[in-house]
């Protein structure tokens, strides 16, 4: 394997090349696509959490001016939306693109109205008459498990979609039997709603002349969209479908999945032989974008006399919603249980998960996806334990850390994962130092004497990124390989176009990948073009999620660069009449060792590859390569975060005074971009700790269905953050990158929750479930004072 | 039923017949064809549709096109002059004040008014003035820095 050279561009905070179009209003998002003859779709959605569909009367809608067509499940000839991850003995309920027979969550699409304009389509949607027979709903995953709970599907008893375990039950029970101390904490990881600022959208355009279907869609993985839609839903050859994910305004997981609306739009475009556009209103995003988290969990942690963890037992009811979204079963299983060791030596772990169907919107990957849930329960419990054991929470963490392993020998946890490389204490030490931890503790003590409630929260974390070794993923139930593709096409001038299977929806790949290429080839970034997001241009690719683009996608590009460089070297040696081994490639040219005047530039070699006037005997003309990188293991970024908060005991308001993040994401291509991702992740993590909650009523009405009811973090609620990094290269990819997309989200939630609960310690408050809103804090403080 | 509207957007005069219920943001995007102004929430929370209407930063998803009859409007497309980025745009680029770019046009237009009100803003003023514009990518950290950059640049001119 090649290794990247550590020269100028790799590691430089280059300004982003994509920014000029965004800051001048010239980005091209899906909703900006306008085609001749384009129609607009509006969906009729269920107002009931659970109901029998008695009758859909489309006639009044058809009479509305500007309405082109109305379709229901009876008209639509498409397959069910597939689930791409199976677990042993899982029961997969069929998920229709338009509801049929029953509706099972508020917002489930029941019919579609296609209009000449978006306004006409919405008028039509209001005119569709739907008769429902309401049934009782259930939104809580544990209540859904009760005998007598409302049944979503006749053949899925007690709504249990799967039961899954990981770890050694016997060893864990033994650990608890011999424990000196057991700390137990029931907790909820509340439902979140992703809320990328760009709502989901699609434009489907079927060309009757050729039978080609083009779909512009807000997707993090256009080939996954194409494969699932063509092969499983629409039943058309993949070659007849082109998926374009142009500029996409954030995803955070929610744009990985195949949704009802793009399926219906694609089918309707064919039925009408006209383009069909649909753009979500924000309320539709709340109702039908896949949600995140929603676990009800019981944790027990066993300790020996010296404060060493000896066992961990976890029981989780994971809410999957009414149907299985594309990768739903993966999130509360293999992206959750295997993370439960954290950065700690835990000899015995046993985790049980009940995957539950409820009358709520489907739940799937949201930034972090399973890993935040694991980290939260672990780190919240560590704080509970520190309190019970009477030790400093940072110290308890330190004494349980896994010792450094950086030489390439992985650390085997008791829950399947073998960590790639890790050196956990320096990050913890640095975070404590940067935050002025000792001083903050003194201020906390002083403050408490005067009724000022300062809280300090510490959290470590680990995450599994860069999915995945395909064979491992396959053995665990994946319906896909999880490698990445990278194609490098060198032009006669030496300029390079890179076609990547990764997709950028804010990550800045057009900059970072260009840095990587320019760095490797010694050419200016201006000569490098990065192409992504169009299945007609790029080789089959798996897309962007799980912090995989740099470490998996970047490595695929590097492999192709190595191939074109190897061929270029042969051409250069031939032209210079020198031995290949005697050539040095530096600064964009090959020169002969010892006689630097004898050289051929990258451009000269590229030109000759295409002129083909003078190539080594038997060599094919041209200079391009395609590679597929399948990593041998996940990568495991880690770090430690510290937050200092002040809680107003009279109002319950929390003010975040300081936030420090020390992350180890391995090697970094562009530190400015990585810092930016960490900042955004922290904000989302703080959002979960303090404000965000996708609240459903017990019977399944979504009570937080607009931005007025769902509290997204705002500029005036957050501080500026201090970020630093330690660097432990990953041995599982040639770039040494671990991945940086989700670190902040994973760490910030327990960090801030711990800080708030720490502030409330004088009141004897040991735990409050998130979000830690003023209302909940005030009630807890008031109750404690009585 | 339609009503006539006329307005000046980025220095160009427009005249159209529109439905009275048509939102200004849809008029700008669909009728005039300036797609830099985005729709993020429909309920005036996110600020992605912020424009300058008669000198005020306004959320264009909560104004009818007919209410803007006769108005002077500036959208994100009108901010750079003669190919020269406005210092606010420069600040967002220099300080990495954007990631996915979707909230950016509205954010920049809100900053335009912010810097008219507070040419030398404190961090607290910046954060308070931008609480009506949501960004899900940046955590606001670098947006604050972008505003500070622009303020310094504009003071120096």
């Amino acid at each position: 394997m090649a290794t990247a050279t550590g020269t100028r561009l790799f590691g430089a905070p280059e300004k982003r090349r994509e920014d000029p179009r965004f800051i001048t209003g010239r980005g091209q998002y899906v909703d900006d696509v306008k085609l001749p003859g384009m129609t607009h779709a509006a969906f009729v959605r269920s107002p009931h959490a659970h109901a029998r569909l008695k009758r859909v009367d489309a006639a009044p809608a058809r009479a509305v001016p500007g309405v082109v067509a109305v379709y229901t499940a009876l008209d639509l000839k498409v397959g069910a939306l597939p689930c791409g991850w199976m677990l042993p003995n899982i029961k997969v309920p069929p998920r229709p693109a338009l509801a049929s027979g029953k509706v099972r969550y508020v917002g489930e699409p029941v019919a579609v109205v296609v209009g000449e304009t978006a306004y006409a389509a919405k008028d039509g949607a209001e005119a569709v008459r739907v008769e429902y027979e309401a049934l009782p709903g259930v939104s809580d995953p544990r209540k859904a498990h009760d005998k007598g709970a409302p049944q979503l599907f006749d053949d899925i008893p007690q709504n249990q979609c799967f039961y899954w375990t990981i770890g050694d039950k016997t060893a864990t029970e033994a650990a608890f039997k011999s424990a000196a101390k057991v700390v137990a904490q029931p907790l909820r990881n509340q439902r979140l709603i992703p809320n990328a600022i760009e709502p989901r959208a699609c434009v489907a355009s079927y060309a009757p002349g050729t039978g080609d279907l083009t779909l512009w869609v807000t997707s993090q993985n256009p080939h996954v969209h194409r494969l699932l839609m063509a092969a499983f839903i629409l039943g058309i050859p993949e070659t007849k479908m082109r998926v374009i994910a142009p500029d996409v305004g954030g995803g955070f997981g929610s744009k990985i999945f195949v949704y009802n609306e793009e399926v219906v739009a694609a089918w309707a475009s064919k039925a009408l032989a006209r383009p069909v556009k649909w753009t979500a209103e924000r309320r539709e995003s709340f109702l039908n974008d896949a949600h995140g988290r929603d676990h009800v969990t019981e944790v027990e942690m066993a300790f020996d006399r010296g404060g060493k963890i000896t066992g961990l037992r976890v029981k989780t009811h994971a809410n999957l919603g009414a149907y299985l979204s594309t990768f739903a079963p993966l999130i509360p299983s293999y992206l959750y249980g295997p993370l439960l060791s954290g950065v700690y030596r835990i000899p015995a772990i046993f985790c049980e998960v009940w995957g539950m169907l409820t009358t709520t919107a489907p739940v799937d990957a949201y930034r972090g996806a399973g890993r935040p849930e694991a980290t939260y329960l672990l780190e919240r419990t560590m704080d509970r334990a520190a309190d019970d054991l009477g030790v400093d929470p940072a110290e308890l963490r330190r004494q349980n850390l896994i010792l450094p392993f950086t030489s390439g020998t992985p650390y085997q946890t008791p829950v399947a994962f073998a960590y790639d490389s890790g050196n956990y204490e320096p990050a913890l030490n640095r975070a404590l130092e940067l935050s002025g931890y000792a001083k903050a503790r003194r201020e906390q003590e002083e403050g408490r004497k005067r009724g000022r409630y300062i809280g300090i929260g510490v959290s470590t974390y680990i995450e599994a990124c860069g999915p995945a070794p395909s064979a491992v993923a396959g053995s665990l139930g994946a319906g896909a390989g999880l490698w990445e593709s990278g194609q490098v096409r060198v032009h006669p001038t030496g300029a390079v176009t890179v076609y990547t299977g990764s997709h950028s929806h804010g990550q800045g790949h057009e900059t970072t990948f260009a840095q990587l290429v320019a760095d490797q080839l010694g050419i200016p970034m201006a000569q490098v073009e990065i192409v992504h997001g169009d299945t007609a241009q790029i080789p089959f690719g798996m897309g962007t999620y799980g912090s995989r683009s740099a470490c998996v996608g970047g490595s695929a590009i590097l492999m192709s660069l190595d191939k074109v460089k190897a061929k270029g070297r042969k051409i250069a040696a031939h032209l210079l009449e020198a031995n290949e081994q005697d050539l040095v490639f530096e600064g964009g040219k090959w020169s002969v060792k010892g006689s630097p005047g004898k050289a051929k530039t990258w451009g000269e070699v590229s030109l000759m590859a295409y002129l083909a006037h003078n190539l080594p005997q038997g060599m094919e003309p041209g200079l391009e390569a395609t590679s597929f990188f399948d990593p041998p293991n996940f990568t495991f970024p880690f770090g430690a975060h510290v937050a200092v908060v002040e809680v107003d005991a009279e109002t319950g308001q929390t003010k975040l005074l300081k936030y420090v993040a020390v992350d180890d994401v391995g090697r970094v291509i562009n530190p400015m971009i990585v810092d930016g991702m960490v900042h955004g992740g922290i904000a989302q993590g703080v959002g979960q700790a303090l404000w965000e909650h996708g609240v459903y009523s017990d019977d399944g009405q979504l009570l937080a269905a607009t931005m007025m009811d769902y509290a997204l973090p705002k500029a005036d609620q957050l501080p500026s953050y201090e970020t630093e990094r330690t660097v432990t290269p990953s041995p599982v990819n040639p770039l040494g990158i671990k991945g940086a997309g989700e670190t902040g989200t994973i760490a910030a939630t327990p960090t801030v929750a711990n800080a708030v609960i720490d502030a409330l310690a004088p009141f004897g408050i040991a735990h409050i479930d998130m979000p830690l809103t003023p209302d909940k804090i005030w009630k807890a403080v008031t109750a404690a004072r009585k | 039923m339609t009503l006539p509207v006329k307005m000046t957007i980025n220095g160009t005069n427009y005249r159209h017949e529109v439905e009275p219920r048509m939102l200004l943001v849809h008029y700008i995007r669909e009728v005039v064809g300036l797609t830099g102004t985005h729709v993020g929430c429909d309920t005036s929370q996110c600020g992605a549709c912020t424009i300058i209407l008669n000198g005020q930063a306004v959320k264009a998803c909560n104004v009818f096109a007919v209410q803007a009859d006769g108005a002077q409007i500036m959208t994100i497309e009108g901010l750079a002059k003669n190919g020269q980025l406005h210092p606010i745009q420069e600040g967002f680029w220099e300080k990495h004040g954007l990631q996915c770019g979707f909230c950016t046009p509205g954010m920049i237009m809100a900053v335009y008014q912010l810097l008219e009100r507070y040419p030398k803003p404190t961090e607290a003023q910046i954060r308070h003035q931008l609480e009506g514009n949501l960004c899900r990518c940046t955590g606001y950290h670098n947006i604050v820095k972008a505003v500070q950059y622009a303020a310094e640049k504009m003071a120096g001119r």
Side-chain angles (χ1 to χ4, degrees):
Chain A
M1 250 179 209
T3 50
T5 54
T7 55
R8 197 182 57 88
L9 280 169
F10 191 109
E14 284 290 309
K15 278 199 305 184
R16 299 203 321 170
R17 308 200 308 166
E18 36 279 89
D19 286 3
R21 68 176 185 269
F22 293 136
I23 56 180
T24 55
R26 272 143 188 129
Q28 280 294 306
Y29 299 88
V30 174
D31 193 46
D32 302 334
V33 174
K34 208 171 183 179
L35 302 176
M38 190 166 78
T39 62
H40 300 260
F43 286 84
V44 178
R45 296 174 187 276
S46 169
H48 295 281
H50 195 196
R52 245 180 275 287
L53 253 182
K54 306 285 279 184
R55 202 167 80 95
V56 183
D57 181 6
R62 291 203 175 96
V64 170
V67 166
V68 177
V70 186
Y71 300 116
T72 69
L74 297 175
D75 306 299
L76 207 64
K77 303 285 181 284
V78 298
L81 306 188
C83 175
W85 200 289
M86 292 296 117
L87 295 173
N89 302 317
I90 189 170
K91 297 187 179 74
V92 181
R95 184 184 184 191
L98 291 176
S100 169
K102 257 173 123 181
V103 289
R104 295 180 177 88
Y105 64 96
V106 173
E108 182 172 3
V110 171
V112 65
V113 176
V114 181
E116 293 291 349
T117 65
Y119 283 41
K122 283 172 193 186
D123 288 343
E126 280 187 10
V128 173
R129 299 264 168 74
V130 188
E131 262 179 57
Y132 298 95
E133 180 193 331
L135 298 168
V138 59
S139 62
D140 181 290
R142 215 152 46 179
K143 286 181 187 153
H145 213 184
D146 291 344
K147 285 207 172 82
Q151 274 287 126
L152 273 79
F153 297 89
D154 293 341
D155 51 354
I156 304 182
Q158 288 178 267
N159 304 307
Q160 184 181 311
C161 176
F162 66 79
Y163 169 72
W164 177 90
T165 68
I166 194 164
D168 187 332
K169 187 177 185 183
T170 316
T172 307
E173 277 173 4
F176 275 86
K177 272 199 190 103
S178 59
K181 178 95 192 161
V182 172
V183 179
Q185 179 62 57
L187 42 85
R188 282 176 177 262
N189 199 298
Q190 83 272 29
R191 181 179 286 239
L192 301 179
I193 303 179
N195 276 301
I197 302 297
E198 180 204 26
R200 281 192 301 113
C202 63
V203 179
S205 180
Y206 177 78
T210 58
D212 289 328
L213 173 68
T214 305
L215 179 74
W216 286 261
V217 63
T218 47
S219 175
Q220 300 179 211
N221 31 233
H223 271 105
V224 173
H225 253 92
R226 190 186 73 173
L227 175 63
L228 292 178
M229 285 185 67
F232 295 94
I233 304 171
L234 300 174
I236 58 173
E238 274 176 280
T239 49
K240 283 292 178 196
M241 186 167 179
R242 174 182 183 184
V243 175
I244 302 170
D247 287 328
V248 171
F252 314 112
S254 68
K255 291 171 181 169
I256 296 172
F257 322 116
V258 175
Y259 289 93
N260 323 61
E261 293 89 354
E262 52 256 32
V263 169
V264 173
W267 181 86
S269 173
K270 190 173 177 184
L272 295 167
R274 290 178 69 178
V276 177
K277 177 192 262 190
W278 170 78
T279 301
E281 292 182 3
R282 179 57 55 180
R283 201 173 66 93
E284 294 183 287
S285 311
F286 275 97
L287 294 173
N288 205 41
D289 285 11
H291 295 177
R293 321 282 192 258
D294 207 346
H295 286 195
V296 182
T297 294
E298 283 170 31
V299 195
E300 294 167 283
M301 200 181 265
F303 288 86
D304 69 11
R305 257 166 240 297
K308 292 267 166 63
I309 310 168
T310 56
L312 177 68
R313 197 152 54 190
V314 175
K315 292 178 183 175
T316 292
H317 276 74
N319 199 339
L320 304 169
Y323 301 95
L324 293 180
S325 172
T326 315
F327 293 109
L330 166 67
I331 314 309
S333 59
Y334 288 107
L335 285 182
Y336 174 60
L339 274 303
L340 287 172
S341 194
V343 293
Y344 307 119
R345 281 167 287 155
I346 307 181
I349 299 175
F350 186 62
C351 169
E352 295 172 277
V353 179
W354 290 266
M356 300 305 304
L357 299 171
T358 63
T359 55
T360 63
V363 177
D364 207 323
Y366 165 59
R367 199 172 191 177
R371 294 152 289 178
E373 294 90 315
T375 306
Y376 175 71
L377 77 82
L378 202 54
E379 292 299 317
R380 195 72 270 290
T381 310
M382 286 300 271
D383 258 35
R384 290 284 282 112
D387 194 28
D388 277 14
L389 297 166
V391 293
D392 179 87
E395 213 36 57
L396 183 68
R397 286 173 169 84
R398 190 199 312 278
Q399 70 191 43
N400 280 287
L401 289 178
I402 295 165
L403 300 174
F405 59 106
T406 53
S407 62
T409 310
Y411 174 84
Q412 182 61 53
T413 71
V415 273
F417 276 155
Y419 298 162
D420 59 341
S421 59
N423 187 9
Y424 304 127
E425 197 173 355
L428 177 61
N429 288 343
R430 185 64 184 138
L432 294 173
E433 188 182 8
L434 269 178
S435 65
Y437 185 75
K439 186 164 162 264
R441 284 280 176 221
R442 285 196 297 276
E443 283 171 4
Q444 176 181 50
E445 212 178 304
E446 282 304 305
R448 279 175 182 172
K449 291 176 193 158
R450 291 175 283 111
R452 194 176 169 216
Y453 300 101
I454 291 174
I456 304 149
V458 181
S459 175
T460 67
Y461 72 94
I462 195 157
E463 58 167 325
C465 290
S470 296
V472 174
S475 73
L476 302 180
L482 287 163
W483 40 265
E484 193 51 274
S485 63
Q487 184 178 56
V488 170
R489 188 173 290 172
V490 183
H491 303 280
T493 57
V496 175
T497 307
V498 172
Y499 301 84
T500 171
S502 300
H503 183 270
S504 181
H505 30 280
Q507 292 86 345
H509 295 164
E510 291 166 37
T511 305
T512 45
F513 286 158
Q515 283 180 255
L516 172 64
V517 174
D519 179 64
Q520 284 288 312
L521 300 181
I523 59 176
M525 278 173 74
Q527 289 190 32
V528 183
E529 197 64 30
I530 306 296
V531 176
H532 66 99
D534 181 354
T535 60
Q537 294 192 69
I538 60 171
F540 198 102
M542 296 311 300
T544 290
Y545 38 82
S547 307
R548 69 195 303 271
S549 297
C551 54
V552 188
S555 295
I557 295 169
L558 184 70
M559 284 167 71
S560 287
L561 291 171
D562 284 346
K563 290 176 192 169
V564 296
K565 271 159 66 182
K567 184 170 178 181
R569 174 179 287 268
K570 285 191 199 312
I571 297 171
H574 177 74
L575 295 177
L576 292 164
E577 295 177 346
N579 211 318
E580 262 190 72
Q581 286 74 42
D582 294 337
L583 296 188
V584 197
F585 184 64
E586 221 177 66
K589 63 184 180 203
W590 283 275
S591 51
V592 181
K593 264 181 228 163
S595 43
K598 269 187 89 179
K600 286 286 170 192
T601 64
W602 171 254
E604 288 171 315
V605 167
S606 303
L607 183 62
M608 186 52 73
Y610 286 92
L611 289 176
H613 294 168
N614 184 14
L615 291 177
Q617 202 172 10
M619 180 183 274
E620 284 178 42
L623 194 55
E624 63 176 64
T626 305
S627 305
F628 297 83
F629 179 69
D630 196 346
N633 191 2
F634 289 85
T635 59
F636 294 88
F638 60 87
H641 289 201
V642 178
V644 182
V645 303
E646 180 169 355
V647 177
D648 183 332
E650 306 309 315
T651 65
Q653 277 286 355
T654 294
K655 189 165 186 223
L656 192 49
L657 301 176
K658 188 192 263 284
Y659 197 96
V660 171
V662 179
D663 298 298
D664 195 318
V665 298
R667 296 187 70 203
V668 165
I669 300 175
N670 185 323
M672 176 195 82
I673 285 177
V674 168
D675 283 343
M677 283 197 272
V678 170
H679 297 154
I682 292 169
Q684 285 181 351
V686 174
Q688 172 166 25
L690 298 182
W691 307 297
E692 295 183 37
H693 191 180
V695 186
Y696 275 95
S697 67
D698 287 346
D699 57 359
Q701 276 294 334
L702 182 58
L703 303 179
T706 71
M707 284 179 172
M708 285 179 277
D709 310 305
Y710 185 93
L712 291 165
K714 296 178 177 183
D716 62 346
Q717 296 172 306
L718 293 163
S720 288
Y721 323 102
E722 290 175 57
T723 57
E724 265 196 26
R725 275 183 286 281
T726 60
V727 180
T728 308
S730 172
V732 307
N733 63 70
L735 295 167
I737 292 169
K738 282 176 179 270
E742 298 156 291
T743 57
T745 322
I746 293 169
T749 302
T751 304
V752 171
N754 282 343
V756 174
I757 303 296
D758 181 56
L760 299 175
F763 299 98
I765 294 166
H767 180 77
I768 304 174
D769 276 328
M770 299 184 295
L772 300 164
T773 55
D775 166 57
K776 279 193 200 166
I777 291 171
W778 183 83
K779 280 179 182 153
V781 168
T782 307
R785 275 174 167 165
K786 273 180 187 159
Chain B
M1 185 186 75
T2 57
L3 291 173
V5 290
K6 57 179 197 304
M7 56 192 95
T8 307
I9 305 178
N10 305 329
T12 305
N13 297 322
Y14 295 92
R15 251 171 214 282
H16 290 98
E17 291 276 328
V18 300
E19 281 189 73
R21 63 174 173 171
M22 176 173 268
L23 297 174
L24 179 59
V25 70
H26 291 149
Y27 176 76
I28 292 169
R29 287 181 53 81
E30 309 295 333
V31 180
V32 176
L34 293 170
T35 56
T37 304
H38 296 151
V39 183
C41 75
D42 318 277
T43 52
S44 79
Q45 309 301 299
C46 83
C49 62
T50 305
I51 57 165
I52 303 296
L53 185 146
N54 294 334
Q56 293 286 319
V58 162
K59 291 175 178 176
C61 76
N62 269 245
V63 180
F64 292 116
V66 292
Q67 289 177 291
D69 188 32
Q72 289 284 335
I73 287 173
M74 180 169 67
T75 70
I76 186 69
E77 289 94 339
L79 195 55
K81 295 277 188 284
N82 308 317
Q84 192 69 37
L85 291 178
H86 188 279
I88 302 170
Q89 293 169 308
E90 225 178 87
F92 273 74
W93 194 10
E94 289 290 335
K95 295 296 174 188
H96 189 32
L98 63 147
Q99 291 178 35
C100 81
F102 197 80
C103 76
T104 310
M107 195 66 83
I108 286 176
M109 299 319 280
V111 172
Y112 185 85
Q113 180 165 66
L114 185 167
L115 289 175
E116 278 183 352
R117 286 180 181 160
Y118 303 97
K120 289 179 184 172
T122 62
E123 177 170 345
Q125 283 167 336
I126 294 170
R127 288 182 177 277
H128 179 64
Q129 289 289 308
L130 292 181
E131 58 98 36
N133 290 73
L134 298 177
C135 170
R136 197 62 158 159
C137 295
T138 64
Y140 307 104
H141 182 105
N142 284 341
I143 290 177
V144 171
K145 289 200 159 28
V147 178
Q148 289 166 336
Y149 175 100
E152 274 170 37
K153 183 99 192 232
M154 286 162 79
R157 282 208 302 211

